[in-house]
Amino acid sequence: MTSVKEQAAISRLLSFLQDWDNAGKVARSHILNNFIETNQGKTAPELEQEFSQGASLFLVRLTTWLRLTYMTGSRLDKLLRSIGIFLSAVSSNRYLVEFLEVGGALTLLEILALKEIEEEDKKESIKLLQVISNSGRKYKELICESYGVRSIAEFLAKSKSEETQEEVQVLLDSLIHSNPKYQNQVYKGLIALLPCASPKAQQLSLQTLRTAQSIIGTTHPGIVDSVLKVLRTMHLEVQYE
């Protein structure tokens, strides 16, 4: 039999979810602000306690709203950070699986290619992809199977923010490790970045290529010509690498 305390907690959860369902864009932004402030750094059990064992009911609403709005050019930073609280929580594998089952990884990759979306929002998307990649080999493979290496590399080449580009490097470095099925794909993606117009992207690609080369062992025939062309650059930081 449900106790009075449990009934009250369930009632609060249902009221919270109803508030979200009935809220407009501004009200939802306030709800997300409060959620981030209250729950940053919590573990999965703590989130379940906060939501009366119904945290997944809020996560599915966040994921649904993301899929409905990401192509409209709306700001996504608070929404992505809120999803990140679930995905990065200790013992959060259940939330990760729920997010991926509805195409979460593909949505994050598609965000990187959309011109309408702010650079800051794309950086948050990269951070979530880092969380997914760092969760294990099968998750790295899922990103790669979703044409992730190409999307991530193209974003690195086009990004205008060095801070964001450095986050992309962290993601590519994660994808090259413990990913034998697709490590060659990541390696070739890094080589393909060398002729790009962004000196920062060239520098970061060369840094990651050193790690990739030690993992792959065999040298790709296309790397020599690409590196020789990069040596002609006027940017000293690229020449140094």
Side-chain angles (χ1 to χ4, degrees):
M1 186 174 178
T2 307
S3 69
V4 174
K5 186 176 181 180
E6 288 171 335
Q7 287 178 340
I10 292 170
S11 178
R12 284 197 302 273
L13 170 63
L14 294 176
S15 176
F16 172 82
L17 295 176
Q18 188 174 38
D19 287 345
W20 173 268
D21 292 341
N22 294 332
K25 188 180 293 187
V26 174
R28 285 187 173 184
S29 180
H30 290 312
I31 292 172
L32 292 178
N33 279 335
N34 292 334
F35 174 76
I36 293 167
E37 185 177 335
T38 306
N39 297 287
Q40 189 75 52
K42 283 188 176 179
T43 64
E46 288 170 337
L47 287 170
E48 287 301 321
Q49 185 176 9
E50 175 74 20
F51 284 90
S52 307
Q53 310 307 311
S56 291
L57 296 174
F58 186 46
L59 175 59
V60 74
R61 282 165 167 78
L62 296 178
T63 305
T64 301
W65 195 33
L66 176 65
R67 289 171 62 81
L68 289 173
T69 60
Y70 79 96
M71 296 188 75
T72 66
S74 301
R75 287 306 307 265
L76 302 173
D77 53 337
K78 294 176 187 176
L79 180 54
L80 292 169
R81 285 169 60 198
S82 297
I83 292 172
I85 287 173
F86 284 100
L87 301 192
S88 60
V90 175
S91 305
S92 64
N93 189 65
R94 168 185 160 190
Y95 302 142
L96 181 60
V97 170
E98 290 171 355
F99 180 71
L100 296 176
E101 281 180 344
V102 294
L106 190 57
T107 300
L108 296 176
L109 291 168
E110 288 175 348
I111 284 171
L112 302 180
L114 293 176
K115 295 179 181 178
E116 303 83 7
I117 295 179
E118 298 283 343
E119 182 91 7
E120 189 66 27
D121 296 347
K122 293 181 179 182
K123 184 172 76 171
E124 291 298 328
S125 183
I126 287 291
K127 288 181 178 179
L128 290 186
L129 287 166
Q130 290 172 4
V131 172
I132 295 169
S133 178
N134 291 337
S135 297
R137 175 176 167 179
K138 66 179 180 180
Y139 300 111
K140 297 176 195 284
E141 292 178 355
L142 175 64
I143 292 172
C144 294
E145 287 164 1
S146 304
Y147 303 99
V149 174
R150 179 177 177 177
S151 299
I152 294 162
E154 287 179 352
F155 175 58
L156 174 58
K158 294 176 182 176
S159 174
K160 304 300 181 185
S161 163
E162 291 193 358
E163 185 179 339
T164 301
Q165 288 177 309
E166 287 168 0
E167 292 289 352
V168 178
Q169 182 196 28
V170 172
L171 174 57
L172 288 169
D173 186 72
S174 173
L175 289 172
I176 199 71
H177 285 89
S178 304
N179 189 14
K181 187 174 181 180
Y182 290 105
Q183 62 188 20
N184 270 301
Q185 187 183 103
V186 182
Y187 177 52
K188 291 174 184 176
L190 291 165
I191 295 172
L193 274 167
L194 294 181
C196 78
S198 166
K200 185 65 175 181
Q202 289 178 318
Q203 180 189 14
L204 296 174
S205 299
L206 287 165
Q207 288 175 357
T208 313
L209 265 172
R210 287 206 300 270
T211 302
Q213 190 64 64
S214 66
I215 293 171
I216 301 292
T218 306
T219 302
H220 188 277
I223 194 172
V224 177
D225 187 50
S226 297
V227 171
L228 288 175
K229 288 179 180 177
V230 170
L231 284 173
R232 300 171 192 162
T233 181
M234 300 297 290
H235 298 276
L236 295 178
E237 70 277 14
V238 179
Q239 288 188 11
Y240 174 79
E241 296 300 337

